[in-house]
Amino acid sequence: MAFIRRDIHISRAPQDVWDFLGDPARLHEWFPISGCRVEGTKRWIDLPTGITFEEDIHLVDHHQRRFVYSIVNNLLIKDHFGILDVVDDGHGHSIVTYSTQCTPNVLALVTAGAAGQGLANAKKILEGKN
Amino acid sequence: MGRRILFITTDQQRFDALGCNGGTIARTPNIDSLAREGINYVRAHPQNVVCMPSRSTMITGQHVATHGVWMNGVPLPEDAPSIALTLRQAGYRTALVGKAHFEPLLDPFLRFAENRMGRDGSHSELFTMPDGSVVPHRGFDHMEFAGHGAAGNLHYVGWLRANHPEVMAKFVPNLDADLEVTTEPGGDTMAPQVRTTNDIPRDWYHTDWVADRTIAWLDSMGQDDDWFCWMSFPDPHHPWDPPKSELHRVNWRDLDLPAGYVADAAERERILASKPAHWMGWYDGSFVSNYEAPLKWVPATLQADQVREINAMVHVKNELIDEAVGRVLDSIRARGWDDDVDIVFTTDHGEMQGDFGLLFKGPYHVDALMRLPLIWRPARSSGIAPATVTAPVGHVSLAATFAAIAGLPRPGYTEAPALPVDDDDARSRGFERVLTEWDSVLFGKEVGVRTIFRDNWTCSAMLPGTLHDGTEGELYDHANDPLQRVNRWDDPSVRALRDDMLADMWDNLPSPAEPRRSCDAPV
């Protein structure tokens, strides 16, 4: 099991950031995937390589601004747990963290890379620099 | 019409692989002839001993600290300096055929241009630079990729899938079910990553494919075009699975053990114990610091016959490379270009290949990984005389060399001057030292090494990390210890030399680019 974390500062109010990143159906707007679909506590994400991941959504906590999910029923990914947090930086802006634990270990690195790009995209979008 | 440039690279090839450098097994007459007619650099080092950082130095002319690709998995930014772009802006037509690896290979999100092009079969992707100019990816008009076998988003894999799908399973898979570097045993000795049953026809093997595609691109050039072509063979990198039809060339049972292999286990372990702790840690399986070293294979289990069989496979691969080079040189001669083509041959890093009982590569700054073949056969029209250069040089000089060949001023982004044409030239232009860096962080295991080669000594300082407190190091006297078995780091009689080399190294290493970029994939 490998553990990774990526974080970014976004010069927008935490609620604004959460409204965007905390909506599981809008993942494809900032994460480097080609599409996603949500039905209840299930989400399916489509990668540009044609792979689809099935996910269980464990938590969408609008009070803590925390999103928790797992990739499930996957031949390659044996264990997965992901957390997205949006917290106040103390000055009215946001720090976003994206944490993943994953087996196989190397996929945590790949996920971290995608998360880093996704967070950078989100920052551009939310700060109006896109 | 200027001088054209054919830049030939291999992957993970030792200095002693070639006949011109003392190799006695693989027959490499075509590359040897380049050395005979040109300049053979007999002390050339990479600036890093794994692919991505090393290749990034080649294309940028920068040390690792500056281009920021500090380990495999860290992508070279798309707007990084590129000698290919500089040449293209000067009117050259540009191509890279074979292994690129400026960007991670494991990329299910298709974040990287190399993988997008390889997957959809396109040969260029436009990129908008910070100044607003729109250029082909890294300045190459044409990119066509191959790797180590039949996996990945690569043109070669697409070609196999479309034309010869039946052979795709013949190669050793690069990764196992856990996506770790495979340890699959094979051959007569059950050596890791050896397969003697790959009955792919030789013409379909990636070495020949790279040569074929290079020739096809050269054939598309106009007679008076200036061109820069980077022909990049994925071999002799593991897995060791060359075409079965070619294995008759070298019988492993006929080979002596390589000089760097220490046959006596007790002596081998005594030598390893005299080096910084990560050496023994890898050997006994207690500390795997980098993804390039298979996690599930313990070097201490390596047997002498396995070393011989792996070496035989490497020699076969090296012969195939040489013959492929010969075909490309023939095609250049047939076009009547030979007098006006500069040919530069090198590799990105070496291979332990049994030295010290180890295989593959990692933070081990010894000749097995650092001393590389580097040959520059200047265009005959240049009038540059053949020479052997003993002064230390590095890949960091390649970009400036290509610019000089094209008659361009040295690009401002490069950190080293063009290669010297002989030892007098080297002396007058200050080629006294060559520097190599290593950094890796793999799931909490951190290793950093900084190395200088000067005056026929290698001096490496360990940075503080998981196993090291920053006081450890290595110091080798190549004149009296060519196999680097005696670590003199703590020898008081050479303390002044050590301190002087370290001071020289820190004076000449660039400061690392900040912030350090993230690692986005294992490789």
PDB file of all heavy atoms in Angstrom, chain A residues 54-74:
ATOM      1  N   GLU A  54     -14.672   2.036 -11.856  1.00  0.00           N
ATOM      2  CA  GLU A  54     -15.893   2.103 -11.040  1.00  0.00           C
ATOM      3  C   GLU A  54     -15.494   2.544  -9.635  1.00  0.00           C
ATOM      4  O   GLU A  54     -14.512   2.050  -9.070  1.00  0.00           O
ATOM      5  CB  GLU A  54     -16.565   0.724 -10.994  1.00  0.00           C
ATOM      6  CG  GLU A  54     -17.798   0.676 -10.123  1.00  0.00           C
ATOM      7  CD  GLU A  54     -18.368  -0.742 -10.028  1.00  0.00           C
ATOM      8  OE1 GLU A  54     -18.020  -1.592 -10.881  1.00  0.00           O
ATOM      9  OE2 GLU A  54     -19.148  -0.994  -9.082  1.00  0.00           O
ATOM     10  N   GLU A  55     -16.271   3.444  -9.078  1.00  0.00           N
ATOM     11  CA  GLU A  55     -15.928   3.982  -7.752  1.00  0.00           C
ATOM     12  C   GLU A  55     -17.132   3.932  -6.820  1.00  0.00           C
ATOM     13  O   GLU A  55     -18.284   4.107  -7.257  1.00  0.00           O
ATOM     14  CB  GLU A  55     -15.461   5.438  -7.871  1.00  0.00           C
ATOM     15  CG  GLU A  55     -14.213   5.599  -8.716  1.00  0.00           C
ATOM     16  CD  GLU A  55     -13.823   7.060  -8.942  1.00  0.00           C
ATOM     17  OE1 GLU A  55     -14.690   7.949  -8.750  1.00  0.00           O
ATOM     18  OE2 GLU A  55     -12.675   7.300  -9.303  1.00  0.00           O
ATOM     19  N   ASP A  56     -16.851   3.719  -5.557  1.00  0.00           N
ATOM     20  CA  ASP A  56     -17.847   3.886  -4.502  1.00  0.00           C
ATOM     21  C   ASP A  56     -17.614   5.244  -3.843  1.00  0.00           C
ATOM     22  O   ASP A  56     -16.482   5.546  -3.428  1.00  0.00           O
ATOM     23  CB  ASP A  56     -17.695   2.801  -3.433  1.00  0.00           C
ATOM     24  CG  ASP A  56     -18.275   1.476  -3.872  1.00  0.00           C
ATOM     25  OD1 ASP A  56     -19.021   1.455  -4.887  1.00  0.00           O
ATOM     26  OD2 ASP A  56     -17.971   0.465  -3.227  1.00  0.00           O
ATOM     27  N   ILE A  57     -18.664   6.052  -3.760  1.00  0.00           N
ATOM     28  CA  ILE A  57     -18.560   7.328  -3.053  1.00  0.00           C
ATOM     29  C   ILE A  57     -18.940   7.085  -1.590  1.00  0.00           C
ATOM     30  O   ILE A  57     -20.063   6.693  -1.288  1.00  0.00           O
ATOM     31  CB  ILE A  57     -19.489   8.386  -3.687  1.00  0.00           C
ATOM     32  CG1 ILE A  57     -19.057   8.644  -5.136  1.00  0.00           C
ATOM     33  CG2 ILE A  57     -19.471   9.675  -2.872  1.00  0.00           C
ATOM     34  CD1 ILE A  57     -20.020   9.516  -5.925  1.00  0.00           C
ATOM     35  N   HIS A  58     -17.979   7.267  -0.706  1.00  0.00           N
ATOM     36  CA  HIS A  58     -18.212   6.990   0.711  1.00  0.00           C
ATOM     37  C   HIS A  58     -18.779   8.196   1.450  1.00  0.00           C
ATOM     38  O   HIS A  58     -19.537   8.038   2.404  1.00  0.00           O
ATOM     39  CB  HIS A  58     -16.907   6.572   1.398  1.00  0.00           C
ATOM     40  CG  HIS A  58     -16.273   5.364   0.808  1.00  0.00           C
ATOM     41  ND1 HIS A  58     -16.930   4.159   0.664  1.00  0.00           N
ATOM     42  CD2 HIS A  58     -15.026   5.162   0.285  1.00  0.00           C
ATOM     43  CE1 HIS A  58     -16.118   3.275   0.112  1.00  0.00           C
ATOM     44  NE2 HIS A  58     -14.958   3.871  -0.131  1.00  0.00           N
ATOM     45  N   LEU A  59     -18.362   9.398   1.024  1.00  0.00           N
ATOM     46  CA  LEU A  59     -18.733  10.574   1.811  1.00  0.00           C
ATOM     47  C   LEU A  59     -18.680  11.830   0.945  1.00  0.00           C
ATOM     48  O   LEU A  59     -17.700  12.044   0.234  1.00  0.00           O
ATOM     49  CB  LEU A  59     -17.735  10.734   2.979  1.00  0.00           C
ATOM     50  CG  LEU A  59     -17.912  11.943   3.898  1.00  0.00           C
ATOM     51  CD1 LEU A  59     -19.167  11.786   4.762  1.00  0.00           C
ATOM     52  CD2 LEU A  59     -16.689  12.119   4.794  1.00  0.00           C
ATOM     53  N   VAL A  60     -19.732  12.610   1.006  1.00  0.00           N
ATOM     54  CA  VAL A  60     -19.698  13.980   0.467  1.00  0.00           C
ATOM     55  C   VAL A  60     -20.154  14.871   1.614  1.00  0.00           C
ATOM     56  O   VAL A  60     -21.352  15.020   1.856  1.00  0.00           O
ATOM     57  CB  VAL A  60     -20.608  14.152  -0.755  1.00  0.00           C
ATOM     58  CG1 VAL A  60     -20.448  15.569  -1.344  1.00  0.00           C
ATOM     59  CG2 VAL A  60     -20.304  13.112  -1.823  1.00  0.00           C
ATOM     60  N   ASP A  61     -19.209  15.410   2.353  1.00  0.00           N
ATOM     61  CA  ASP A  61     -19.502  16.123   3.593  1.00  0.00           C
ATOM     62  C   ASP A  61     -19.415  17.628   3.328  1.00  0.00           C
ATOM     63  O   ASP A  61     -18.319  18.193   3.282  1.00  0.00           O
ATOM     64  CB  ASP A  61     -18.505  15.691   4.670  1.00  0.00           C
ATOM     65  CG  ASP A  61     -18.824  16.281   6.036  1.00  0.00           C
ATOM     66  OD1 ASP A  61     -19.415  17.389   6.077  1.00  0.00           O
ATOM     67  OD2 ASP A  61     -18.472  15.650   7.042  1.00  0.00           O
ATOM     68  N   HIS A  62     -20.570  18.256   3.170  1.00  0.00           N
ATOM     69  CA  HIS A  62     -20.562  19.680   2.835  1.00  0.00           C
ATOM     70  C   HIS A  62     -20.153  20.549   4.024  1.00  0.00           C
ATOM     71  O   HIS A  62     -19.746  21.696   3.837  1.00  0.00           O
ATOM     72  CB  HIS A  62     -21.969  20.091   2.353  1.00  0.00           C
ATOM     73  CG  HIS A  62     -22.378  19.396   1.098  1.00  0.00           C
ATOM     74  ND1 HIS A  62     -21.763  19.612  -0.110  1.00  0.00           N
ATOM     75  CD2 HIS A  62     -23.320  18.443   0.852  1.00  0.00           C
ATOM     76  CE1 HIS A  62     -22.313  18.856  -1.051  1.00  0.00           C
ATOM     77  NE2 HIS A  62     -23.271  18.125  -0.476  1.00  0.00           N
ATOM     78  N   HIS A  63     -20.240  20.007   5.234  1.00  0.00           N
ATOM     79  CA  HIS A  63     -19.842  20.785   6.403  1.00  0.00           C
ATOM     80  C   HIS A  63     -18.317  20.808   6.534  1.00  0.00           C
ATOM     81  O   HIS A  63     -17.699  21.874   6.648  1.00  0.00           O
ATOM     82  CB  HIS A  63     -20.488  20.194   7.659  1.00  0.00           C
ATOM     83  CG  HIS A  63     -20.083  20.913   8.908  1.00  0.00           C
ATOM     84  ND1 HIS A  63     -20.499  22.205   9.178  1.00  0.00           N
ATOM     85  CD2 HIS A  63     -19.294  20.538   9.942  1.00  0.00           C
ATOM     86  CE1 HIS A  63     -19.985  22.589  10.343  1.00  0.00           C
ATOM     87  NE2 HIS A  63     -19.238  21.598  10.816  1.00  0.00           N
ATOM     88  N   GLN A  64     -17.713  19.610   6.484  1.00  0.00           N
ATOM     89  CA  GLN A  64     -16.233  19.551   6.554  1.00  0.00           C
ATOM     90  C   GLN A  64     -15.571  19.883   5.217  1.00  0.00           C
ATOM     91  O   GLN A  64     -14.374  20.084   5.156  1.00  0.00           O
ATOM     92  CB  GLN A  64     -15.783  18.138   6.938  1.00  0.00           C
ATOM     93  CG  GLN A  64     -16.085  17.702   8.345  1.00  0.00           C
ATOM     94  CD  GLN A  64     -15.338  16.403   8.650  1.00  0.00           C
ATOM     95  OE1 GLN A  64     -14.191  16.426   9.073  1.00  0.00           O
ATOM     96  NE2 GLN A  64     -16.003  15.273   8.421  1.00  0.00           N
ATOM     97  N   ARG A  65     -16.385  19.889   4.160  1.00  0.00           N
ATOM     98  CA  ARG A  65     -15.881  20.018   2.777  1.00  0.00           C
ATOM     99  C   ARG A  65     -14.895  18.887   2.484  1.00  0.00           C
ATOM    100  O   ARG A  65     -13.742  19.109   2.145  1.00  0.00           O
ATOM    101  CB  ARG A  65     -15.237  21.377   2.526  1.00  0.00           C
ATOM    102  CG  ARG A  65     -16.186  22.545   2.763  1.00  0.00           C
ATOM    103  CD  ARG A  65     -15.577  23.857   2.289  1.00  0.00           C
ATOM    104  NE  ARG A  65     -16.421  24.968   2.662  1.00  0.00           N
ATOM    105  CZ  ARG A  65     -16.200  25.789   3.703  1.00  0.00           C
ATOM    106  NH1 ARG A  65     -15.135  25.621   4.438  1.00  0.00           N
ATOM    107  NH2 ARG A  65     -17.031  26.755   3.981  1.00  0.00           N
ATOM    108  N   ARG A  66     -15.354  17.692   2.645  1.00  0.00           N
ATOM    109  CA  ARG A  66     -14.529  16.490   2.453  1.00  0.00           C
ATOM    110  C   ARG A  66     -15.272  15.515   1.545  1.00  0.00           C
ATOM    111  O   ARG A  66     -16.465  15.262   1.728  1.00  0.00           O
ATOM    112  CB  ARG A  66     -14.209  15.838   3.790  1.00  0.00           C
ATOM    113  CG  ARG A  66     -13.695  14.414   3.688  1.00  0.00           C
ATOM    114  CD  ARG A  66     -13.149  13.916   4.996  1.00  0.00           C
ATOM    115  NE  ARG A  66     -11.781  14.405   5.215  1.00  0.00           N
ATOM    116  CZ  ARG A  66     -10.909  13.831   6.046  1.00  0.00           C
ATOM    117  NH1 ARG A  66     -11.274  12.800   6.767  1.00  0.00           N
ATOM    118  NH2 ARG A  66      -9.689  14.305   6.184  1.00  0.00           N
ATOM    119  N   PHE A  67     -14.522  14.961   0.557  1.00  0.00           N
ATOM    120  CA  PHE A  67     -15.061  13.960  -0.371  1.00  0.00           C
ATOM    121  C   PHE A  67     -14.199  12.704  -0.239  1.00  0.00           C
ATOM    122  O   PHE A  67     -12.967  12.776  -0.300  1.00  0.00           O
ATOM    123  CB  PHE A  67     -15.012  14.496  -1.809  1.00  0.00           C
ATOM    124  CG  PHE A  67     -15.419  13.496  -2.851  1.00  0.00           C
ATOM    125  CD1 PHE A  67     -16.753  13.176  -3.045  1.00  0.00           C
ATOM    126  CD2 PHE A  67     -14.475  12.871  -3.649  1.00  0.00           C
ATOM    127  CE1 PHE A  67     -17.135  12.244  -4.006  1.00  0.00           C
ATOM    128  CE2 PHE A  67     -14.841  11.952  -4.615  1.00  0.00           C
ATOM    129  CZ  PHE A  67     -16.186  11.643  -4.795  1.00  0.00           C
ATOM    130  N   VAL A  68     -14.838  11.564  -0.039  1.00  0.00           N
ATOM    131  CA  VAL A  68     -14.107  10.310   0.163  1.00  0.00           C
ATOM    132  C   VAL A  68     -14.671   9.257  -0.790  1.00  0.00           C
ATOM    133  O   VAL A  68     -15.899   9.108  -0.905  1.00  0.00           O
ATOM    134  CB  VAL A  68     -14.241   9.819   1.621  1.00  0.00           C
ATOM    135  CG1 VAL A  68     -13.423   8.547   1.827  1.00  0.00           C
ATOM    136  CG2 VAL A  68     -13.790  10.896   2.601  1.00  0.00           C
ATOM    137  N   TYR A  69     -13.763   8.529  -1.452  1.00  0.00           N
ATOM    138  CA  TYR A  69     -14.213   7.533  -2.426  1.00  0.00           C
ATOM    139  C   TYR A  69     -13.194   6.403  -2.536  1.00  0.00           C
ATOM    140  O   TYR A  69     -12.063   6.520  -2.038  1.00  0.00           O
ATOM    141  CB  TYR A  69     -14.413   8.189  -3.802  1.00  0.00           C
ATOM    142  CG  TYR A  69     -13.111   8.497  -4.518  1.00  0.00           C
ATOM    143  CD1 TYR A  69     -12.689   7.723  -5.600  1.00  0.00           C
ATOM    144  CD2 TYR A  69     -12.291   9.543  -4.095  1.00  0.00           C
ATOM    145  CE1 TYR A  69     -11.486   7.993  -6.239  1.00  0.00           C
ATOM    146  CE2 TYR A  69     -11.095   9.802  -4.721  1.00  0.00           C
ATOM    147  CZ  TYR A  69     -10.697   9.035  -5.801  1.00  0.00           C
ATOM    148  OH  TYR A  69      -9.508   9.283  -6.411  1.00  0.00           O
ATOM    149  N   SER A  70     -13.616   5.337  -3.202  1.00  0.00           N
ATOM    150  CA  SER A  70     -12.708   4.213  -3.496  1.00  0.00           C
ATOM    151  C   SER A  70     -12.945   3.726  -4.917  1.00  0.00           C
ATOM    152  O   SER A  70     -14.085   3.735  -5.394  1.00  0.00           O
ATOM    153  CB  SER A  70     -12.966   3.028  -2.555  1.00  0.00           C
ATOM    154  OG  SER A  70     -12.585   3.333  -1.246  1.00  0.00           O
ATOM    155  N   ILE A  71     -11.874   3.298  -5.550  1.00  0.00           N
ATOM    156  CA  ILE A  71     -12.000   2.566  -6.818  1.00  0.00           C
ATOM    157  C   ILE A  71     -12.273   1.107  -6.462  1.00  0.00           C
ATOM    158  O   ILE A  71     -11.570   0.528  -5.625  1.00  0.00           O
ATOM    159  CB  ILE A  71     -10.709   2.707  -7.653  1.00  0.00           C
ATOM    160  CG1 ILE A  71     -10.466   4.175  -8.012  1.00  0.00           C
ATOM    161  CG2 ILE A  71     -10.790   1.839  -8.914  1.00  0.00           C
ATOM    162  CD1 ILE A  71      -9.112   4.442  -8.629  1.00  0.00           C
ATOM    163  N   VAL A  72     -13.289   0.536  -7.067  1.00  0.00           N
ATOM    164  CA  VAL A  72     -13.691  -0.827  -6.694  1.00  0.00           C
ATOM    165  C   VAL A  72     -13.860  -1.690  -7.942  1.00  0.00           C
ATOM    166  O   VAL A  72     -13.914  -1.179  -9.068  1.00  0.00           O
ATOM    167  CB  VAL A  72     -15.029  -0.814  -5.900  1.00  0.00           C
ATOM    168  CG1 VAL A  72     -14.852  -0.075  -4.576  1.00  0.00           C
ATOM    169  CG2 VAL A  72     -16.150  -0.190  -6.728  1.00  0.00           C
ATOM    170  N   ASN A  73     -13.945  -3.008  -7.690  1.00  0.00           N
ATOM    171  CA  ASN A  73     -14.185  -3.973  -8.770  1.00  0.00           C
ATOM    172  C   ASN A  73     -13.203  -3.783  -9.930  1.00  0.00           C
ATOM    173  O   ASN A  73     -13.594  -3.744 -11.091  1.00  0.00           O
ATOM    174  CB  ASN A  73     -15.626  -3.873  -9.283  1.00  0.00           C
ATOM    175  CG  ASN A  73     -16.631  -4.176  -8.184  1.00  0.00           C
ATOM    176  OD1 ASN A  73     -16.380  -5.028  -7.337  1.00  0.00           O
ATOM    177  ND2 ASN A  73     -17.749  -3.463  -8.175  1.00  0.00           N
ATOM    178  N   ASN A  74     -11.937  -3.658  -9.582  1.00  0.00           N
ATOM    179  CA  ASN A  74     -10.909  -3.365 -10.571  1.00  0.00           C
ATOM    180  C   ASN A  74      -9.875  -4.487 -10.559  1.00  0.00           C
ATOM    181  O   ASN A  74      -9.363  -4.839  -9.488  1.00  0.00           O
ATOM    182  CB  ASN A  74     -10.247  -2.015 -10.236  1.00  0.00           C
ATOM    183  CG  ASN A  74      -9.372  -1.500 -11.355  1.00  0.00           C
ATOM    184  OD1 ASN A  74      -8.343  -2.088 -11.656  1.00  0.00           O
ATOM    185  ND2 ASN A  74      -9.797  -0.411 -11.978  1.00  0.00           N
TER     186      ASN A  74
END
